[in-house]
Amino acid sequence: MKTLFAILLFVVTQALYAGPDYVKYRQAFGIKASNLSGYGAFYGFKPGDRWRIQATGIYYLFDSKVKDEQRVITDYTLGLEMQKDIIQEMKHRIYIMAGGYYYHDDDAIKSSNPFHKIKDSYNTGLGIGYERFFHRVTLGLELGYKFYSDLWVEKRGIENWVPVWEKVTKIGAGLNLGFIF
């Protein structure tokens, strides 16, 4: 009985301390909201034990009519991110990341006072991330620094299109919920 208990204890401790369990999973899928590397559904692939390439994207269409005003919003975003683990543990990992995303926004209000805006946004960011593992479910947080450039044109009523350009740097953050497989 003591031998069986010793073998069982040895197997359990080896399973617990054999290394990060998530390393054997090469893919991840989930949802993400990050102004560093994109919004929407994400898919991640690990080409190596410490690297992950992750793509994000979403398409959004909103069309509503209230009385004499119709509002049509069409948005989409496409992002790409590289992650490199610097700490790997059984229940979490810490990584550095670099990423970027493109965002397109087309807002139109059709009414007695029409308004139309078409915006293209280019975003890049560098940061650090933390991901916690709950078996195969993951919860992650990112914090970093971002640079973005917004180019848009807008039009009120029968006026001509007015171009606008904005370049800004600021602190960025992200949150994700995923599943590794």
Side-chain angles (χ1 to χ4, degrees):
M1 185 67 170
K2 288 181 183 179
T3 305
L4 181 61
F5 179 73
I7 291 172
L8 185 61
L9 184 62
F10 177 76
V11 169
V12 168
T13 57
Q14 288 302 307
L16 290 176
Y17 296 103
D21 191 34
Y22 76 91
V23 171
K24 69 181 179 183
Y25 298 110
R26 312 290 291 165
Q27 302 176 73
F29 180 77
I31 56 173
K32 181 172 193 160
S34 170
N35 66 356
L36 295 166
S37 62
Y39 297 86
F42 77 83
Y43 171 76
F45 177 75
K46 291 176 60 177
D49 286 346
R50 295 199 171 267
W51 289 92
R52 182 190 286 174
I53 300 168
Q54 190 166 279
T56 57
I58 192 169
Y59 177 81
Y60 175 76
L61 174 65
F62 177 75
D63 189 349
S64 75
K65 186 169 184 167
V66 178
K67 297 183 183 179
D68 70 334
E69 182 176 282
Q70 181 180 9
R71 182 173 200 123
V72 179
I73 301 172
T74 306
D75 296 343
Y76 63 89
T77 180
L78 298 168
L80 188 63
E81 178 178 322
M82 291 290 296
Q83 301 173 354
K84 168 107 171 59
D85 290 354
I86 52 176
I87 296 175
Q88 292 180 337
E89 298 290 336
M90 287 294 293
K91 301 271 186 195
H92 66 269
R93 74 182 179 114
I94 297 174
Y95 57 91
I96 55 174
M97 55 82 61
Y101 71 99
Y102 167 74
Y103 170 68
H104 178 80
D105 179 29
D106 188 343
D107 291 0
I109 298 173
K110 300 172 184 173
S111 68
S112 58
N113 187 18
F115 176 75
H116 194 174
K117 178 165 88 171
I118 301 172
K119 183 181 206 178
D120 293 304
S121 182
Y122 302 90
N123 302 263
T124 57
L126 296 171
I128 190 162
Y130 174 80
E131 194 167 35
R132 177 83 174 159
F133 302 103
F134 304 94
H135 299 287
R136 291 173 69 176
V137 174
T138 67
L139 181 62
L141 179 67
E142 296 173 345
L143 187 62
Y145 197 70
K146 74 174 274 179
F147 167 80
Y148 69 91
S149 177
D150 287 350
L151 310 160
W152 74 88
V153 290
E154 56 184 52
K155 178 179 180 177
R156 291 196 186 279
I158 58 171
E159 296 175 0
N160 290 328
W161 288 98
V162 176
V164 182
W165 184 35
E166 179 181 47
K167 290 173 95 175
V168 177
T169 60
K170 66 180 186 176
I171 300 294
L175 182 64
N176 67 36
L177 178 64
F179 179 75
I180 55 177
F181 57 100

